[in-house]
Amino acid sequence: MQTNVENGGTVLLNTEVWIEFVRQNWLILLIALVAVLLVINVVKTMIKWAIAIVIVVALIVYSGVSLDQIQNTVTSVKDEAVAKLQGEALKMLKEESAEATFKRGEDGSFVVQTTSLKLEGKPNATSVEVTYRGVSLGEWERGEQVNALIRAAQARSK
């Protein structure tokens, strides 16, 4: 698996890079492995895991992977997952519009609910809060697909 980091084009988790790193630093890695095994076998539970974590973090820092790169990788994976969920939610907008229910609150707010989606918004707002299978996808602009679902739900409720 390769993940591109936006601010520098560095490729993380590239197997060729890691193989080359291991070839160049095999002695340090071997010493670290022996140290971890000694710590795990000799020191009591809480302390040994703390020392083992320190050794692993030191290896990561020594390898040149910065915390910014790790954070950027985690952020990009999260963004990809949210984008995929949004794609699924848009697909469900089309498929489930025939069974959507519409409820209006006393303050004019509304809730449109299908088996997978829940949209909450205000009548003249430009965005709605979207929840897909219990996972909040944040605020979405009221584009054509969203408005079509709201209109279909309103028509069914009358």
Side-chain angles (χ1 to χ4, degrees):
M1 175 181 173
Q2 290 183 342
T3 304
N4 286 331
V5 176
E6 296 174 15
N7 64 353
T10 308
V11 177
L12 296 176
L13 303 176
N14 186 339
T15 54
E16 294 172 7
V17 172
W18 285 105
I19 290 171
E20 186 61 31
F21 173 75
V22 170
R23 282 186 186 154
Q24 291 178 4
N25 299 301
W26 67 270
L27 184 59
I28 292 171
L29 293 172
L30 182 65
I31 291 170
L33 179 64
V34 169
V36 167
L37 291 175
L38 283 174
V39 166
I40 290 173
N41 287 328
V42 174
V43 183
K44 296 293 178 193
T45 304
M46 187 87 107
I47 298 171
K48 72 180 171 185
W49 286 112
I51 294 172
I53 290 170
V54 167
I55 292 172
V56 169
V57 168
L59 280 174
I60 290 173
V61 170
Y62 177 77
S63 71
V65 176
S66 71
L67 294 178
D68 288 338
Q69 289 173 325
I70 293 170
Q71 182 178 8
N72 289 338
T73 302
V74 169
T75 301
S76 67
V77 168
K78 181 191 76 155
D79 291 344
E80 288 174 19
V82 168
K84 193 169 204 168
L85 278 174
Q86 286 178 338
E88 285 288 320
L90 286 173
K91 182 179 172 186
M92 289 296 146
L93 280 175
K94 293 177 187 174
E95 293 175 2
E96 296 181 356
S97 63
E99 58 192 48
T101 61
F102 184 87
K103 296 177 187 168
R104 184 171 302 277
E106 292 178 12
D107 61 350
S109 64
F110 63 88
V111 176
V112 176
Q113 183 121 20
T114 68
T115 55
S116 302
L117 290 168
K118 180 179 179 182
L119 284 79
E120 298 176 89
K122 305 221 184 283
N124 296 323
T126 59
S127 62
V128 291
E129 182 71 30
V130 179
T131 305
Y132 175 65
R133 294 187 179 169
V135 177
S136 175
L137 297 180
E139 287 194 8
W140 286 18
E141 293 295 317
R142 284 180 62 172
E144 186 55 38
Q145 290 178 323
V146 173
N147 284 330
L149 177 66
I150 293 170
R151 286 190 301 270
Q154 282 178 323
R156 275 192 90 215
S157 69
K158 291 181 180 180

